[in-house]
């Protein structure tokens, strides 16, 4: 009877580990910014599964580095500010990036600068109708 309980515990632990690797454990995060199209955010899980989100450039108001205080520690992260359709000056949503990988501030600054260059090119480029 004890071996049956032990076998059930091992089985449940293995199932939990598989679920964790497939749905929770993010192995890699990437960001692709194309000025004329939009921003693609991809998360690759440890199981090999990928999750991709695409944000049209017309929805993007700005990209910023934000900071939060968590457990007596300051955490920096990059956010995409989405434009509010009803209010051109407002922000409808804040989309945080790289939540699992938590890169250092110097890496975030490089990402921020690259995004700002692309956004600036989009603003200065002539609009075609």
């Amino acid at each position: 009877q004890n071996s049956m309980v032990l076998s059930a515990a091992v089985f449940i632990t293995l199932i939990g580990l598989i679920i964790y690797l497939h749905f929770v454990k993010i192995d890699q995060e990437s960001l692709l910014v194309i000025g004329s199209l939009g921003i693609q955010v991809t998360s690759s899980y440890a199981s090999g599964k990928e999750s991709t989100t695409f944000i049209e450039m017309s929805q993007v108001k700005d990209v910023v580095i934000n900071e939060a205080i968590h457990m007596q520690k300051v955490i920096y992260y990059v956010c995409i500010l989405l434009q509010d359709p009803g209010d051109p000056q407002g922000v409808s949503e804040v989309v945080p990036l790289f939540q699992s990988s938590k890169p250092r501030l110097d890496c975030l600054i490089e990402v921020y600068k690259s995004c700002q260059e692309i956004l600036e090119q989009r603003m200065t480029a002539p609009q075609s109708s």
Side-chain angles (χ1 to χ4, degrees):
Q1 186 175 355
N2 285 342
S3 65
M4 197 161 156
V5 171
L6 182 61
S7 296
V10 168
F11 180 73
I12 290 171
T13 303
L14 287 175
I15 294 297
L17 181 62
I18 290 170
I19 289 171
Y20 172 76
L21 289 176
H22 191 69
F23 294 109
V24 178
K25 174 85 170 86
I26 294 179
D27 197 31
Q28 181 180 354
E29 295 175 297
S30 66
L31 178 70
L32 175 64
V33 182
I34 301 174
S36 59
L37 293 175
I39 299 175
Q40 177 178 304
V41 182
T42 304
S43 299
S44 301
Y45 292 85
S47 66
K49 175 186 156 205
E50 283 192 350
S51 171
T52 302
T53 304
F54 183 77
I55 302 169
E56 291 182 29
M57 197 54 85
S58 62
Q59 294 179 315
V60 176
K61 182 174 179 72
D62 201 0
V63 175
V64 297
I65 294 179
N66 203 358
E67 61 185 16
I69 299 173
H70 178 71
M71 301 292 290
Q72 302 169 345
K73 184 177 177 184
V74 178
I75 299 171
Y76 298 95
Y77 55 98
V78 174
C79 291
I80 300 172
L81 303 179
L82 300 183
Q83 193 162 357
D84 188 357
D87 178 16
Q89 300 300 320
V91 174
S92 67
E93 191 176 343
V94 177
V95 180
L97 304 175
F98 308 120
Q99 289 184 325
S100 295
S101 54
K102 296 181 180 70
R104 296 184 327 258
L105 180 58
D106 58 337
C107 297
L108 293 177
I109 289 172
E110 290 299 317
V111 171
Y112 169 78
K113 285 180 181 178
S114 299
C115 290
Q116 287 300 323
E117 282 179 24
I118 294 169
L119 289 174
E120 190 174 302
Q121 287 173 3
R122 179 190 70 152
M123 294 299 194
T124 58
Q127 300 291 328
S128 60
S129 298

